[in-house]
Amino acid sequence: MTTKRTLLSVLGLMAILTGPAAAQTWSKAQLEVWDTVLESYKDIDAQDANWSQKWVFSDAMVWGPTFPMPRGRDSVKRWDAYQFPNSKNHVSEYSPAAIVVHDSTAVAHYYYSNASEDKDGERATTHGRCTDVLAKDGKKWRFIAWHCGDEPSDD
């Protein structure tokens, strides 16, 4: 009985001392940038190969681990049009880690998780990290660069 009481006392003390962690507060500009990231993913998750025309500057250069060199917006659109029909996205989640805004330039670091199914019915879940660079185009944020990469799989 004393072991149980001691354990409960320790757990209670830990709960009092640790308390709830303070949530991060985002500025209006940071929220605008994050909203842009999330809105662009709505088009990507819907497999709209034209998403880059809407969200990406024409002179943007992007790079990921599956391409040997950086590529431009037209290349992104061409590859998306080819790859989107080969799989279906079931679930996506995006979690911001840090967003820095300086005047009309922003950098968003975040973590993602995606569950998809290929045309053969094989399901896969991937997790990874992205760093996006955005610039203000009038009142709208657009992507000028990004780099994303999946975390190594345990499979």
Side-chain angles (χ1 to χ4, degrees), residues 11 22 84 126 153:
L11 290 175
F84 281 167
T126 57
S153 174

Side-chain angles (χ1 to χ4, degrees), residues 22-37:
Q24 184 168 357
T25 304
W26 299 99
S27 71
K28 180 182 176 191
Q30 288 171 311
L31 289 172
E32 288 175 0
V33 169
W34 187 241
D35 285 346
T36 299
V37 171

Side-chain angles (χ1 to χ4, degrees), residues 16-61:
I16 291 169
L17 293 177
T18 57
Q24 184 168 357
T25 304
W26 299 99
S27 71
K28 180 182 176 191
Q30 288 171 311
L31 289 172
E32 288 175 0
V33 169
W34 187 241
D35 285 346
T36 299
V37 171
L38 293 178
E39 288 297 314
S40 71
Y41 274 114
K42 285 182 183 177
D43 290 342
I44 293 168
D45 290 343
Q47 297 186 317
D48 179 359
N50 293 312
W51 76 272
S52 57
Q53 298 294 122
K54 181 178 177 183
W55 298 104
V56 180
F57 280 103
S58 61
D59 60 346
M61 293 304 293

Side-chain angles (χ1 to χ4, degrees), residues 5-155:
R5 189 176 306 156
T6 303
L7 180 60
L8 287 174
S9 296
V10 170
L11 290 175
L13 185 59
M14 286 175 55
I16 291 169
L17 293 177
T18 57
Q24 184 168 357
T25 304
W26 299 99
S27 71
K28 180 182 176 191
Q30 288 171 311
L31 289 172
E32 288 175 0
V33 169
W34 187 241
D35 285 346
T36 299
V37 171
L38 293 178
E39 288 297 314
S40 71
Y41 274 114
K42 285 182 183 177
D43 290 342
I44 293 168
D45 290 343
Q47 297 186 317
D48 179 359
N50 293 312
W51 76 272
S52 57
Q53 298 294 122
K54 181 178 177 183
W55 298 104
V56 180
F57 280 103
S58 61
D59 60 346
M61 293 304 293
V62 304
W63 205 352
T66 59
F67 288 87
M69 295 291 293
R71 56 193 177 126
R73 183 179 75 180
D74 292 342
S75 178
V76 169
K77 182 179 177 180
R78 187 171 45 255
W79 282 100
D80 285 347
Y82 170 74
Q83 291 174 327
F84 281 167
N86 293 322
S87 68
K88 179 181 179 185
N89 189 50
H90 289 289
V91 180
S92 294
E93 189 170 339
Y94 308 97
S95 304
I99 300 172
V100 179
V101 179
H102 281 271
D103 300 322
S104 61
T105 306
V107 176
H109 300 286
Y110 56 95
Y111 189 80
Y112 62 84
S113 295
N114 293 310
S116 61
E117 184 175 337
D118 68 18
K119 63 183 177 183
D120 297 324
E122 294 291 321
R123 291 181 172 216
T125 300
T126 57
H127 309 280
R129 303 174 205 187
C130 281
T131 296
D132 295 345
V133 181
L134 299 90
K136 201 83 176 233
D137 185 16
K139 293 188 178 211
K140 179 180 177 179
W141 289 97
R142 301 178 117 217
F143 297 89
I144 195 154
W146 67 76
H147 184 274
C148 296
D150 291 346
E151 294 288 334
S153 174
D154 291 338
D155 297 337

